[in-house]
Amino acid sequence: MSKREFSKVSPAVWRSGRFTGLECSIAQILYLYFLTCEHQNSAGCFRLPDGYACSDLGWEPATYTEARERLVRADLVTFDPATEEIYVDRWFRHNAPMNEKHSLGTRRIIEAIESDAVREKVENEFLAADEIRTAKVVPPHTPFHTAGLSNTRLVKGGR
């Protein structure tokens, strides 16, 4: 059983050209499964043998592999058949690390990815997202800017 209690799924998925362009509801269901299944983790990448997925979904292997290939061709997931690892592409756009502890835990998961090609892709996307997070962190001795607050009606005494 997964330790994750939830995964973020952006409502924008329903406007995504990659997602709507699948023209196959089975592939769309599989994509939503990859986003939310109990195998998912904070790195968006996990090992998933075909038999596990088929059991979870109640699908025949041919249905599953064809839907997964559609997702790979649509650039929605990356899959390495040698390691059976799946990465939900662009995972960190909606599931970026929220703090240092989250970042460190995600790094540990990424380091354990067996596939060199998948790990490299995940690392690159993670580092870009984590760089944005760290750039947003206010240095400890940076003064708090209240210019926006001082220009409000309330502070100026207006009603």
Side-chain angles (χ1 to χ4, degrees):
M1 197 66 156
S2 174
K3 293 179 184 175
R4 284 181 75 79
E5 294 180 24
F6 65 91
S7 290
K8 293 179 187 173
V9 179
S10 173
V13 72
W14 300 104
R15 292 188 315 274
S16 163
R18 286 184 190 92
F19 182 77
T20 59
L22 288 169
E23 298 177 3
C24 174
S25 60
I26 297 292
Q28 291 174 330
I29 290 168
L30 183 59
Y31 183 67
L32 294 173
Y33 168 78
F34 286 157
L35 286 171
T36 61
C37 71
E38 68 180 335
H39 310 284
Q40 190 53 269
N41 58 46
S42 63
C45 182
F46 51 95
R47 183 176 174 275
L48 183 63
D50 291 359
Y52 285 18
C54 290
S55 176
D56 287 350
L57 295 163
W59 292 357
E60 293 297 321
T63 301
Y64 171 71
T65 56
E66 172 58 29
R68 184 183 61 214
E69 284 308 309
R70 286 177 183 258
L71 296 179
V72 169
R73 287 192 305 267
D75 193 32
L76 287 166
V77 302
T78 299
F79 174 67
D80 185 332
T83 62
E84 299 179 304
E85 289 170 312
I86 292 174
Y87 172 60
V88 175
D89 293 346
R90 291 168 294 285
W91 174 261
F92 297 106
R93 284 191 186 170
H94 302 287
N95 294 283
M98 302 301 290
N99 54 50
E100 190 62 25
K101 185 176 176 182
H102 186 189
S103 176
L104 290 172
T106 302
R107 285 174 189 266
R108 282 188 210 106
I109 294 168
I110 293 170
E111 289 169 1
I113 297 171
E114 291 180 49
S115 169
D116 292 336
V118 174
R119 185 178 54 257
E120 184 176 325
K121 184 173 194 171
V122 176
E123 278 178 350
N124 289 336
E125 290 187 19
F126 168 80
L127 290 173
D130 206 39
E131 186 174 305
I132 292 168
R133 177 192 63 84
T134 57
K136 290 180 181 176
V137 174
V138 179
H141 300 293
T142 301
F144 183 69
H145 298 286
T146 58
L149 201 61
S150 63
N151 289 327
T152 64
R153 262 189 327 200
L154 182 64
V155 173
K156 288 182 175 181
R159 294 181 194 217

